[in-house]
């Protein structure tokens, strides 16, 4: 486990370095600061409390086996949504059709379905494993 954690830390530091190098080319800092500030507010004011609240409700409701996977799924779905918000909330038609040409709402929904599917598979695997332990 220590090696995995160290590898994740090294990968995180490398990605932070890439991000910092990309910031060197930025000329207009107000947009960057606004985006970063908005991300902190959305995470700390909405995403983290929602995940903790759902975990608390699941714990009190007896769904302790669901708590981890559901909280993980909410964290991933929330982070994906926060990152996608700028293109999801972009107003309708643009003068240049090559700007943001993809179907972002459909792709976001596809990502949410993927998160829900993986979460369902993890929960089903845990229930299956728990049932097999009890049978032996």
């Amino acid at each position: 486990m220590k090696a995995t954690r160290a590898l994740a830390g090294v990968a995180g530091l490398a990605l932070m370095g890439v991000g910092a190098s990309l910031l060197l080319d930025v000329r207009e800092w107000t947009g960057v600061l606004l985006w970063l500030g908005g991300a902190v507010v959305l995470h700390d004011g909405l995403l983290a409390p929602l995940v903790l609240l759902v975990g608390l409700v699941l714990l009190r409701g007896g769904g302790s086996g669901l708590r981890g996977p559901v909280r993980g799924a909410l964290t991933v779905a929330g982070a994906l949504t926060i990152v996608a918000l700028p293109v999801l909330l972009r107003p309708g038609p643009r003068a240049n059709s090559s700007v943001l040409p993809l179907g972002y709402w459909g792709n976001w929904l596809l990502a949410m379905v993927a998160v829900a599917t993986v979460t369902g598979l993890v929960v089903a695997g845990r229930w299956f494993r728990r049932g097999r332990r009890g049978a032996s």
Side-chain angles (χ1 to χ4, degrees):
M1 187 59 139
K2 287 183 181 182
T4 304
R5 199 171 271 187
L7 185 61
V10 168
L13 287 172
L15 288 173
M16 286 171 51
V18 169
S21 70
L22 292 174
L23 283 175
L24 295 176
D25 294 335
V26 172
R27 302 281 181 245
E28 181 61 39
W29 282 90
T30 56
V32 172
L33 293 175
L34 181 65
W35 193 88
L36 289 174
V40 169
V41 168
L42 282 173
H43 178 272
D44 293 352
L46 182 68
L47 180 60
L50 177 67
V51 168
L52 293 173
L53 180 65
V54 168
L56 183 65
V57 167
L58 287 173
L59 182 63
R60 291 187 183 216
S64 61
L66 292 174
R67 188 171 38 138
V70 170
R71 286 171 77 176
L74 284 174
T75 302
V76 171
L80 285 172
T81 301
I82 288 171
V83 169
L85 273 179
V87 293
L88 293 176
L89 298 179
R90 193 129 199 143
R94 287 161 292 284
N96 183 351
S97 63
S98 67
V99 175
L100 301 175
L102 302 176
Y104 295 99
W105 279 100
N107 292 338
W108 175 80
L109 285 172
L110 187 63
M112 295 302 109
V113 167
V115 169
T117 301
V118 169
T119 304
L121 290 172
V122 167
V123 169
R126 284 184 175 191
W127 279 343
F128 180 72
R129 208 171 341 134
R130 188 175 295 148
R132 289 190 47 115
R133 276 193 215 142
S136 52

